Amino acid sequence: MEASTATTTTTSARAQPFGQTEINWDKLDKTKFYVVGAGIFTGVTVALYPMSVIKTRLQVATKDTVEKNAFSVIRGLLKSDGIPGLYRGFGTVITGAIPARIIFLTALETTKVAAFKMIEPLNLSEAPQAAVANGIAGMTSSLFSQSVFVPIDVVSQKLMVQGYSGHERYKGGIDVVRKIVRSDGIRGLYRGFGLSVMTYSPSSAVWWASYGSSQRIIWRFLGYGTDAEPAAPSDSKIVAVQASGGIIAGATASCITTPLDTIKTRLQVMGHERKSTARQVVKTLVKDDGWTGLYKGLGPRFVSMSAWGTSMILAYEYLSMYSCS
């Protein structure tokens, strides 16, 4: 959703597609937004969660690991655990996802409105303005939500890779938390917090910046937003443009931030007996696999971010409009 400044009425005067997807945060019915949103994003998470499991396993695999690609990881999981194997750690993720999403979406919407106001005096053209405002909003909202996301990441990732490539086995999420707190204290649940902020905040900024600017570029390419623009676009065309923007955003963000995500994941899943620094993780990856080792799991992460982004943004746009009072 591309939230404009508080005065979206200026865009509604024209039948251009930009105005049709711009929602005023103050006009949202917050109850509908959060209740319906919890259901929608839970469904999206269920559908795309296996990609996270596959990505995480690839990122922590050592040079001696037999499963070298996504397909071999899937075969191994299905052979040992069946379909439930693709949902390891899901309970932990879904429990924390709702409060984390509430924090993220609230910060995103309120910050986006403020960001558009802040950069308005710069008189930027439409695509750069959308990129900057959405980027600021994405980064800020990610910073706020990391306080909830990081412990979820640490626990769920340990469950995802348990018994894999020499990693410890657990009896469930509570068992993971108990062992982490016993060995490292509460701070153990925030292992890799700095790298998480460095990964997710830029990733979120790049995602939203790419989505906002690519949407506007696509609309311009289709002839909208010009002096001789065609008739108002159909709902299907709006959905197609939003979906395209989501795919472009997911591809851009995954390519730029996968190295940081790989390092972060390795740090978070290491047991207390194998603690390493980010520099040591990089040295090991480069030694074992060359510089391409930093891009382990790029395929699943690209698919996950693109598919998640496209699904999320379509649900998000619907949710925002459905929630307008």
Side-chain angles (χ1 to χ4, degrees):
M1 176 185 53
E2 304 308 322
S4 67
T5 61
T7 55
T8 47
T9 52
T10 56
T11 58
S12 63
R14 298 184 64 192
Q16 58 182 352
F18 310 136
Q20 294 191 24
T21 59
E22 296 188 355
I23 307 299
N24 191 330
W25 174 250
D26 295 330
K27 293 182 179 180
L28 287 180
D29 181 324
K30 307 302 189 298
T31 302
K32 288 181 181 178
F33 186 77
Y34 290 129
V35 173
V36 179
I40 290 176
F41 291 122
T42 297
V44 174
T45 302
V46 170
L48 299 176
Y49 188 79
M51 281 296 173
S52 295
V53 176
I54 297 165
K55 172 199 75 82
T56 301
R57 288 204 157 208
L58 287 174
Q59 288 179 329
V60 303
T62 63
K63 61 181 179 180
D64 299 320
T65 303
V66 175
E67 297 167 349
K68 297 293 186 181
N69 56 59
F71 294 109
S72 60
V73 169
I74 294 172
R75 281 198 301 270
L77 282 168
L78 292 176
K79 183 178 179 180
S80 62
D81 301 304
I83 296 296
L86 295 173
Y87 285 89
R88 285 187 173 187
F90 181 76
T92 301
V93 169
I94 208 64
T95 299
I98 293 176
R101 290 295 172 195
I102 288 175
I103 294 171
F104 182 88
L105 292 175
T106 302
L108 179 71
E109 284 302 320
T110 53
T111 306
K112 198 185 295 184
V113 172
F116 268 101
K117 287 181 179 179
M118 183 178 68
I119 65 174
E120 192 173 15
L122 300 178
N123 294 319
L124 299 174
S125 58
E126 199 149 27
Q129 183 187 50
V132 173
N134 280 275
I136 292 172
M139 178 174 287
T140 304
S141 55
S142 182
L143 282 170
F144 277 111
S145 61
Q146 285 310 303
S147 60
V148 178
F149 270 131
V150 172
I152 293 171
D153 256 356
V154 171
V155 175
S156 65
Q157 286 173 352
K158 281 183 175 289
L159 291 172
M160 288 177 189
V161 302
Q162 62 178 324
Y164 177 74
S165 194
H167 289 279
E168 186 177 356
R169 286 191 173 275
Y170 301 94
K171 298 177 182 178
I174 295 176
D175 186 39
V176 175
V177 172
R178 185 170 57 246
K179 288 182 177 178
I180 290 175
V181 172
R182 188 169 58 205
S183 63
D184 298 317
I186 295 297
R187 68 178 184 178
L189 293 172
Y190 285 88
R191 184 168 176 78
F193 181 80
L195 271 174
S196 289
V197 172
M198 291 173 61
T199 301
Y200 289 124
S201 293
S203 179
S204 184
V206 170
W207 198 99
W208 284 98
S210 300
Y211 173 73
S213 57
S214 63
Q215 244 205 126
R216 280 158 169 75
I217 291 171
I218 294 171
W219 282 124
R220 293 285 183 185
F221 179 77
L222 294 175
Y224 292 91
T226 62
D227 292 335
E229 66 179 37
S234 62
D235 289 343
S236 60
K237 182 176 286 188
I238 292 175
V239 168
V241 171
Q242 289 171 344
S244 299
I247 293 172
I248 293 170
T252 305
S254 61
C255 289
I256 292 175
T257 61
T258 289
L260 283 174
D261 187 62
T262 301
I263 298 167
K264 171 195 72 69
T265 300
R266 285 205 161 201
L267 283 175
Q268 289 179 330
V269 301
M270 286 177 177
H272 63 274
E273 73 285 353
R274 295 186 294 169
K275 290 179 181 175
S276 298
T277 63
R279 179 178 293 183
Q280 290 171 326
V281 169
V282 172
K283 284 183 177 179
T284 301
L285 280 167
V286 174
K287 180 182 177 181
D288 292 346
D289 302 292
W291 289 103
T292 57
L294 294 171
Y295 281 89
K296 281 190 170 188
L298 174 62
R301 190 162 190 261
F302 163 72
V303 173
S304 178
M305 288 193 75
S306 296
W308 167 262
T310 302
S311 302
M312 185 194 75
I313 206 65
L314 294 178
Y316 183 57
E317 301 285 7
Y318 162 76
L319 185 58
S320 298
M321 293 181 184
Y322 170 79
S323 305
C324 280
S325 53

